[in-house]
Amino acid sequence: MRRPRIPLGSPFQLVLLACSFALAAYAGVRLLADDWFGVALWFVGAAVLHDLVLLPLYAALDRVVVRGLGATGRRDRVLYVRVPAALSGLLLLVWFPLISGRVEQRYGPGTGLPADVFLARWLLITAALFAASALLLAVRPRRLRRATKQRPPAAH
C-alpha cells in the first residue's frame, strides 16, 4: 500500500506558519502570566457552555427553521436564514458587553458613546442582514429562470 504524500507548502508558507505559532505562543505566555487559573477556568467554562448548552440549542433552532421553511427538498433556501443568523449571533457574541448596556463605566470613555445605543445598532444591523438575505432570495429565482431560458437545448 502506498501512503499518501502530504504536500508541503512553499518556504514562504512555512515561515509564515512558524511566525504565527511564535506569535500565538507569545500571546499565550502573556495571557497566562497574570491570572492563569482565571483564563483556564474561562476556557473550560466557555467550552462546556458551548458544547452542552448552545450547540443543542442552535441545532434544535436550525431544525425548526428547516421544517418551518419546508426545505426538505430545497435545502439551499435555509442558507438565506442561516447566514444572517450566524453573523448576527457572532456580532452579539463579540459585542455582548456593550449590547447588554451593563458596562457603561468601563467602555463609555473608550467608545465615547452612551451604553444605550449599541442594542439599537445591533438590531439594525441584524435587520439589514436579514433584509439583504431576503432580497437575494427574491432575486435569485428570476436569475435562474432567465439563465435556463437562454440556455440552448441539449442535444441527445
Side-chain angles (χ1 to χ4, degrees), residues 34-90:
D34 294 333
D35 184 21
W36 68 270
F37 183 73
V39 172
L41 183 66
W42 186 86
F43 271 110
V44 170
V48 168
L49 176 71
H50 177 265
D51 292 348
L52 296 180
V53 176
L54 294 178
L55 182 65
L57 183 70
Y58 55 72
L61 188 63
D62 185 59
R63 286 198 183 240
V64 167
V65 168
V66 168
R67 286 190 183 135
L69 290 176
T72 54
R74 305 213 35 183
R75 291 185 75 69
D76 58 340
R77 287 186 181 176
V78 176
L79 292 177
Y80 290 97
V81 175
R82 282 181 185 164
V83 171
L87 290 174
S88 177
L90 182 63

